[in-house]
């Protein structure tokens, strides 16, 4: 499973659709909180693609936390 985290839905959805069309299993989250909820429900993903500039917790902070 790959998780794509971006607060901008109009950017997140086309990327997720493209990756899904390539045969990958994609989940989407709109924030660090959304990612945490997804992890609690589905477990840790194989890959997380993060937007850097998001309100609240940014992508760098999320990456440090996940490491």
């Amino acid at each position: 499973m790959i998780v794509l985290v971006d607060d901008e839905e109009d950017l997140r959805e086309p990327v997720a659709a493209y990756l899904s069309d390539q045969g990958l299993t994609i989940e989407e989250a709109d924030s660090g909180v959304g990612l945490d909820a997804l992890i609690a429900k589905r477990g840790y993903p194989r890959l997380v693609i993060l937007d850097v500039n998001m309100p609240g917790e940014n992508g760098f902070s999320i990456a440090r936390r996940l490491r």
Side-chain angles (χ1 to χ4, degrees), residues 3 5 7-9 12 14 17 19 21 24 26 28 31 33 37-38 42 47-48 55 62 64:
V3 178
V5 184
D7 61 313
E8 295 186 42
E9 186 176 2
R12 185 180 68 239
L19 294 172
D21 288 346
L24 301 168
I26 305 297
E28 299 178 45
S31 64
V33 172
L38 188 60
R42 304 272 317 261
L47 176 69
V48 178
I62 295 169
R64 279 191 297 274

Side-chain angles (χ1 to χ4, degrees), residues 5-56:
V5 184
D6 193 326
D7 61 313
E8 295 186 42
E9 186 176 2
D10 59 328
L11 295 175
R12 185 180 68 239
E13 285 189 349
V15 173
Y18 173 79
L19 294 172
S20 183
D21 288 346
Q22 303 308 306
L24 301 168
T25 302
I26 305 297
E27 295 286 343
E28 299 178 45
D30 63 356
S31 64
V33 172
L35 174 62
D36 292 342
L38 188 60
I39 288 172
K41 182 179 178 182
R42 304 272 317 261
Y44 281 92
R46 310 274 264 143
L47 176 69
V48 178
I49 302 171
L50 295 165
D51 179 17
V52 174
N53 295 314
M54 292 187 287

